Amino acid sequence: MFRLTLVAGAAAIAAFAFAVPGYAADAKQMEENKKTVRALYEAALNKKDFAEASKYLGSKYTQHNPVAADGPEGLKGFIEFLKAKFPNNKSEIKRIFADGDYVIVHVHAVREPGTRGNAIIDIFRLENGKVVEHWDVVQPIPEKAANTNGMF
Amino acid sequence: MFRLTLVAGAAAIAAFAFAVPGYAADAKQMEENKKTVRALYEAALNKKDFAEASKYLGSKYTQHNPVAADGPEGLKGFIEFLKAKFPNNKSEIKRIFADGDYVIVHVHAVREPGTRGNAIIDIFRLENGKVVEHWDVVQPIPEKAANTNGMF
């Protein structure tokens, strides 16, 4: 009976592990991915330091933002543009999410201090802990709104 | 020894359950939340049926889209606007994510068939399986882009 109970116990553990395949590893990786995206955002948009930002990129960086060129070189060009035109740009992550290989950030970006700025949601895809693809949607925050809740 | 092994086995199961608190329930709820948001999106944006859409809302619906009024009544007004002005509006969910109480969708919305339409990312917050809060960012898809990857 002890042996039977042991076998049943082992089966229960196996069943639980099967029900949540790689969960502990996944959850840890998703937290790491959030940290990586935060670090990339800070380096690229606030410090405007491509050398630091590039540490968080994989061997490719597929760009879907229609005003940015593809690849790591496109990010480099965008950072140079920011440094030249909007050296005081400040991007603040308001909320961050992760699901599988993706990290999503909701951001308030102010290019010129004192202006309303843009609401942005970015989606990043990671492979092996490095950022390899980026989509975003950008909208200027309007002066007036039909509700009093704000865009964040 | 059998007894010791049994106790060790039970402890291992308990430790594993502690390491992933409520995971199975959370994962199931997140999948349910994705289904709820898909159903709300289909009812509101494609069927333009407020009666059906309202089944997926909680007792409140805090609206952060600056052109929509607050609350379920605001969604009703928006659906009436769509039916009157853009009866052929088609919104297609390209990708969907969930993290905790939040569901995020990346959407291609075309108000008039044959036009490029808008890229949209929405964030929904759910309570007890119902949608209670909404943020979004909307950007017209430009004619030309600096890369060939498309906005999706």
Side-chain angles (χ1 to χ4, degrees), chain A residues 13 16 20 23 34 63-66 68 70 95 97-99 102 119 135 137-139 145-147 149-152, chain B residues 13 16 20 23 34 63-66 68 70 95 97-99 102 119 121 135 137-139 145-147 149-152:
Chain A
I13 294 173
F16 194 70
V20 288
Y23 170 69
K34 284 183 183 176
Q63 181 60 263
H64 296 269
N65 178 314
D70 204 21
R95 41 185 72 81
F97 308 102
D99 185 350
Y102 294 83
W135 301 259
V137 179
V138 180
Q139 180 179 349
N147 60 69
N149 301 317
M151 283 191 79
F152 302 100
Chain B
I13 293 173
F16 193 70
V20 289
Y23 170 70
K34 283 183 183 177
Q63 181 60 263
H64 296 269
N65 177 314
D70 204 22
R95 43 185 69 83
F97 309 102
D99 185 351
Y102 295 82
I121 301 177
W135 300 259
V137 178
V138 179
Q139 180 180 350
N147 59 68
N149 301 317
M151 282 193 78
F152 300 100

Side-chain angles (χ1 to χ4, degrees), chain A residues 40-110:
Chain A
L40 170 64
Y41 228 94
E42 184 62 21
L45 281 301
N46 292 330
K47 294 182 184 169
K48 303 166 189 70
D49 180 340
F50 176 71
E52 185 182 333
S54 66
K55 292 193 300 178
Y56 307 108
L57 301 182
S59 56
K60 62 183 173 183
Y61 183 59
T62 304
Q63 181 60 263
H64 296 269
N65 178 314
V67 300
D70 204 21
E73 284 301 309
L75 180 63
K76 187 176 183 182
F78 178 68
I79 291 174
E80 284 167 1
F81 157 80
L82 272 187
K83 281 172 85 164
K85 299 287 184 183
F86 302 104
N88 296 313
N89 178 80
K90 182 84 176 63
S91 294
E92 186 189 353
I93 294 176
K94 296 290 190 175
R95 41 185 72 81
I96 187 164
F97 308 102
D99 185 350
D101 296 328
Y102 294 83
V103 172
I104 303 102
V105 289
H106 193 186
V107 172
H108 184 198
V110 176

